[in-house]
Amino acid sequence: MKFKLLPKLMLSLGLLGLALTLSLSFFGYYNSKEYLEDMYAYRVVFGAKSIATMLDVDDVRTIVSEGGDQSEAYVRVREKLNRVKLEGGMNFLSLVTLDEDSVTFYIDCNVPEMRDDPADEMPYGTDVLYTDAAGSEEDLQRYLNAWACYSNGVPVDPPTVTYNSYGYNYSSAAPILDENGQAIAEIQYILDMNDVHTHLQSFLNTMLGIAAVIVSVAVALYILFIQNVVTKPIGRLAEFTRGVASSGQLKTQGIELRTGDEIEELGKAFNFMLVELDHYISDLTTLTAEKERISAELNVATHIQSSMLPCIFPAFPERSEFDIYATMNPAKEVGATSTISLWWTSATWPLSWPMCPARGCRRRCLWLSARR
């Protein structure tokens, strides 16, 4: 199946536009995604450190002691952490202690204004084994990594990224250190990234739409440009060629293309070719006529030369002692050398004479040839 030039250009430009749209959109999406993830990762780590720093060490020590949930420090710190969670839009905010195989919750923030379910709140002093809390080996490794950071008195940095039944979350932890630099508790900070993920998806869809519109308009304008400066002049030249072929006229034909580029030069070259071809056909017609005239004259001359010899045999029927025969092979051109052969046949000639070349002759002949 053959396709014209314009549909081919439209298809190729359409594919190029599609590739350009996807490239621009995903480039912008991944750049934005990387920027937002880095920004929120810093926010999680910095937030955990800030909260751990602003809490009073004595209040924390009182809370993690036996019966700490009955103290004023517990109420005061709990209200402060709930307010921080509400204002910071955090998913989870907890005050915990860690050991090598479990985590113990002392304050697990639960804010009604954030539609937190009270049933999900970890009661004071709840101890959860890492193996029970982890949903996979990867989760277990995260808990062990948090314990390693806690035992060394350093925050979890970079934050842990999780995709699970709780959603898309960034989590970090910062230890609360006493006067000797030992960790006595830890702030666990978990930020819900579902809104960020939704924003990125919306951003990608918007980028795809905007890029598609821009690229489509650019491709359409470029196709119009190509149609006016390339395909239309070429189409005119093709139509003109068909017209020349059908009319058979060359000298009076011509096409004028004003594109200012190679297509215009092609049109001029085509016009020059028509003039030269007309001259060539005219010269060829003249030469052919001349050859036909010369051939006719040669035929007449050949006939005249052939008529010079007698054509009635035997020439002397009353003489039986000899026979005369003659042949002539005319040359290709008048006035050139031709050959006339004469055979004199007689039974009285010596037997050493050559045989007569005449067909059917049984006698010895005298073969005379003359060239003229």
Side-chain angles (χ1 to χ4, degrees):
M1 180 180 294
K2 295 182 179 180
F3 293 95
K4 292 187 177 180
L5 181 60
L6 186 59
K8 289 181 179 179
L9 287 174
M10 293 176 63
L11 179 61
S12 60
L13 288 174
L15 294 176
L16 179 61
L18 178 62
L20 187 61
T21 298
L22 295 177
S23 300
L24 291 175
S25 300
F26 282 100
F27 177 77
Y29 169 77
Y30 282 108
N31 273 354
S32 299
K33 182 175 182 291
E34 182 179 2
Y35 171 77
L36 289 175
E37 287 179 347
D38 290 343
M39 182 181 68
Y40 279 97
Y42 172 79
R43 173 183 170 181
V44 169
V45 174
F46 180 77
K49 291 179 180 179
S50 300
I51 297 172
T53 302
M54 75 179 185
L55 295 181
D56 185 78
V57 176
D58 292 334
D59 288 344
V60 174
R61 186 180 288 113
T62 300
I63 294 171
V64 299
S65 300
E66 185 177 356
D69 58 331
Q70 304 300 321
S71 63
E72 294 181 359
Y74 176 83
V75 176
R76 184 169 56 252
V77 171
R78 180 182 176 85
E79 290 179 354
K80 182 183 294 186
L81 293 180
N82 284 343
R83 186 169 61 253
V84 170
K85 179 183 178 183
L86 177 62
E87 295 176 355
M90 305 170 193
N91 197 18
F92 296 100
L93 183 60
S94 305
L95 177 66
V96 301
T97 59
L98 283 77
D99 56 31
E100 59 185 8
D101 59 3
S102 64
V103 55
T104 303
F105 288 82
Y106 291 95
I107 297 178
D108 185 23
C109 294
N110 191 278
V111 182
E113 292 85 352
M114 298 180 69
R115 298 181 180 179
D116 290 341
D117 188 355
D120 294 333
E121 181 180 357
M122 289 290 185
Y124 178 87
T126 301
D127 190 66
V128 179
L129 294 174
Y130 298 148
T131 54
D132 293 338
S136 63
E137 287 294 329
E138 186 178 2
D139 288 341
L140 179 60
Q141 188 59 44
R142 292 193 186 101
Y143 284 113
L144 295 177
N145 179 61
W147 158 245
C149 293
Y150 179 81
S151 59
N152 291 314
V154 295
V156 176
D157 189 15
T160 301
V161 181
T162 56
Y163 293 92
N164 50 32
S165 58
Y166 296 103
Y168 174 37
N169 299 314
Y170 274 16
S171 60
S172 183
I176 301 172
L177 306 178
D178 61 8
E179 296 81 0
N180 299 321
Q182 298 296 318
I184 60 174
E186 181 177 77
I187 292 294
Q188 287 190 346
Y189 186 118
I190 301 178
L191 182 64
D192 186 3
M193 295 289 289
N194 284 320
D195 290 341
V196 177
H197 183 71
T198 302
H199 170 75
L200 288 173
Q201 290 294 328
S202 176
F203 174 78
L204 176 60
N205 294 334
T206 303
M207 282 290 297
L208 285 172
I210 294 175
V213 171
I214 294 175
V215 171
S216 298
V217 172
V219 168
L221 293 176
Y222 188 71
I223 288 175
L224 291 176
F225 171 76
I226 292 295
Q227 186 178 12
N228 289 326
V229 303
V230 177
T231 58
K232 280 187 177 180
I234 292 178
R236 285 184 57 200
L237 186 60
E239 186 66 27
F240 172 72
T241 305
R242 288 191 292 268
V244 170
S246 61
S247 65
Q249 300 294 326
L250 300 178
K251 189 174 181 180
T252 59
Q253 299 288 342
I255 186 171
E256 184 176 0
L257 299 174
R258 296 187 178 276
T259 59
D261 52 22
E262 290 80 0
I263 298 179
E264 182 176 341
E265 296 297 325
L266 178 62
K268 293 179 180 178
F270 195 84
N271 292 335
F272 177 77
M273 182 190 68
L274 290 179
V275 174
E276 293 297 316
L277 187 60
D278 181 73
H279 291 164
Y280 175 78
I281 293 176
S282 178
D283 294 342
L284 183 61
T285 302
T286 302
L287 182 60
T288 302
E290 182 67 18
K291 284 185 176 181
E292 290 178 353
R293 183 187 64 79
I294 294 174
S295 178
E297 292 178 356
L298 286 175
N299 289 333
V300 172
T302 300
H303 179 70
I304 293 173
Q305 285 183 343
S306 299
S307 300
M308 292 173 63
L309 295 177
C311 57
I312 300 175
F313 295 99
F316 304 97
E318 69 279 3
R319 304 298 296 268
S320 60
E321 63 272 18
F322 66 88
D323 292 328
I324 295 176
Y325 295 91
T327 63
M328 182 178 66
N329 297 322
K332 293 182 179 180
E333 295 181 2
V334 177
T337 301
S338 61
T339 301
I340 301 177
S341 300
L342 176 64
W343 292 271
W344 182 303
T345 64
S346 175
T348 61
W349 295 110
L351 295 176
S352 60
W353 287 95
M355 291 293 293
C356 175
R359 179 178 298 179
C361 180
R362 299 297 181 181
R363 295 177 293 178
R364 301 293 176 175
C365 302
L366 177 61
W367 183 8
L368 301 178
S369 298
R371 299 180 67 84
R372 56 185 297 273

